[in-house]
Amino acid sequence: MTSATVEDQSVCIHVTAQRKADEIETVLVRNGLDVRHCPTITTTPVLEDQDLLEVTRDIIRANPDLVVVTTGIGFRGWMAAAESAGLKEELTKSLGGAMILARGAKARGAVVGEGLEAAWVSSEETAADVADHLRGLDVAGRSVVVQHHGMGADGLDDVARSLGASVTPVVTYRYAPATNTTDIDRSISESVTGRPVGVLFTSAGGAEAWLDRVSTTEIDALARLSAAGTTGLFAVGSVTAQPLVDAGLTPIIPHRFRLGTLLKKVIEWSERIQEEHVQGEEP
């Protein structure tokens, strides 16, 4: 077997996430990986957004019948904004009288963390599953609040309205395109060389923004390399993976849609790919 330095054997993982990037890097570097940040979108909180505060006041006055919580960070951000405006106590009381649906465990955790209860939690953690559940409820003539993720509409407003509900959308943070695209372009170019490279995605919006900068030629190469497993395209869950699947790529998805499980998957892949790479260099 030929000798190789630690640097030669190190696999590079490009991290497209802005949130928890330091946490991700700490875990991966500790396991011998070379981590490079290439955030594809930035998350902007709207604590001072007057539109959000006006919507919050409307919701407090209306006392909604049903509230859909789609993200933990979004719900906590909403409560933080309400607290900064002196509205948190009134908002909590208003939401406490509503049936709360949570799109997954993180959303439920945020609800419970505010002293509220979730009447139903999506086991699939998808907007589609929430929509299916809504269709089984009698919401005609009722007021429904939908707290959205940063990408805005996910179809839930339309579903609730089609069922006869009066819908109030709430957006507590927004996604904006990355201003520095150099690192993104580097992650793409390195992903199509045929050398072992990983790219980590934690949101569908982040995956879409990355794909927006991929050329047709690069897509073809990524399709081939991701199917072979040489380029690892890691998605934290099926929702995050969907833009990659739609582009004809083969993402790697953990069995549990959690960041810790995803990082374990990255580490296992890197160990396997390094072993195969070294074996391929044997004389």
Side-chain angles (χ1 to χ4, degrees):
M1 181 183 299
T2 60
S3 61
T5 65
V6 172
E7 183 178 358
D8 291 334
Q9 293 180 339
S10 180
V11 174
C12 178
I13 305 295
H14 296 274
V15 178
T16 66
Q18 176 198 27
R19 291 184 61 247
K20 298 190 176 181
D22 292 340
E23 176 184 334
I24 293 169
E25 179 177 15
T26 298
V27 173
L28 296 182
V29 169
R30 188 167 61 231
N31 284 272
L33 297 173
D34 176 19
V35 177
R36 297 174 188 171
H37 297 286
C38 59
T40 53
I41 53 177
T42 58
T43 304
T44 305
V46 291
L47 294 182
E48 303 303 323
D49 192 323
Q50 290 304 312
D51 291 340
L52 173 62
L53 297 181
E54 286 303 317
V55 168
T56 299
R57 292 186 180 98
D58 289 343
I59 290 170
I60 290 171
R61 288 191 291 267
N63 291 318
D65 299 301
L66 187 146
V67 178
V68 179
V69 178
T70 65
T71 65
I73 182 177
F75 187 77
R76 286 191 293 269
W78 184 18
M79 299 302 287
E83 184 172 32
S84 69
L87 300 172
K88 183 176 179 179
E89 184 176 348
E90 294 176 84
L91 178 60
T92 302
K93 182 178 179 181
S94 178
L95 300 183
M99 174 188 292
I100 300 178
L101 311 182
R103 196 206 67 170
K106 290 184 179 179
R108 177 188 178 278
V111 169
V112 172
E114 295 296 341
L116 300 168
E117 295 183 7
W120 176 84
V121 183
S122 169
S123 59
E124 297 181 14
E125 304 193 358
T126 65
D129 191 38
V130 176
D132 286 342
H133 189 74
L134 277 173
R135 293 186 183 99
L137 301 177
D138 180 11
V139 297
R142 298 179 181 273
S143 59
V144 174
V145 172
V146 181
Q147 173 266 308
H148 290 287
H149 54 69
M151 295 301 290
D154 46 25
L156 293 176
D157 290 359
D158 292 338
V159 170
R161 289 193 182 100
S162 72
L163 298 171
S166 172
V167 180
T168 302
V170 175
V171 178
T172 57
Y173 63 98
R174 308 182 194 280
Y175 287 145
T179 55
N180 180 2
T181 58
T182 302
D183 293 335
I184 302 172
D185 292 341
R186 179 184 180 183
S187 71
I188 294 169
S189 62
E190 291 187 1
S191 297
V192 297
T193 61
R195 296 191 301 272
V197 174
V199 186
L200 188 150
F201 303 94
T202 59
S203 71
E208 289 173 354
W210 191 78
L211 289 168
D212 283 344
R213 301 194 62 80
V214 178
S215 69
T216 301
T217 302
E218 289 167 333
I219 279 287
D220 291 341
L222 283 169
R224 173 173 50 83
L225 293 170
S226 64
T230 305
T231 295
L233 302 178
F234 297 92
V236 73
S238 57
V239 173
T240 297
Q242 196 58 53
L244 302 170
V245 173
D246 292 343
L249 308 182
T250 307
I252 299 171
I253 310 170
H255 66 281
R256 294 183 69 246
F257 299 166
R258 297 290 181 270
L259 181 58
T261 311
L262 177 66
L263 296 181
K264 183 178 179 180
K265 201 79 171 176
V266 173
I267 294 164
E268 291 173 348
W269 169 85
S270 68
E271 291 173 346
R272 176 183 60 78
I273 206 74
Q274 286 183 81
E275 182 178 350
E276 292 176 356
H277 187 60
V278 171
Q279 290 177 348
E281 292 182 347
E282 291 182 348

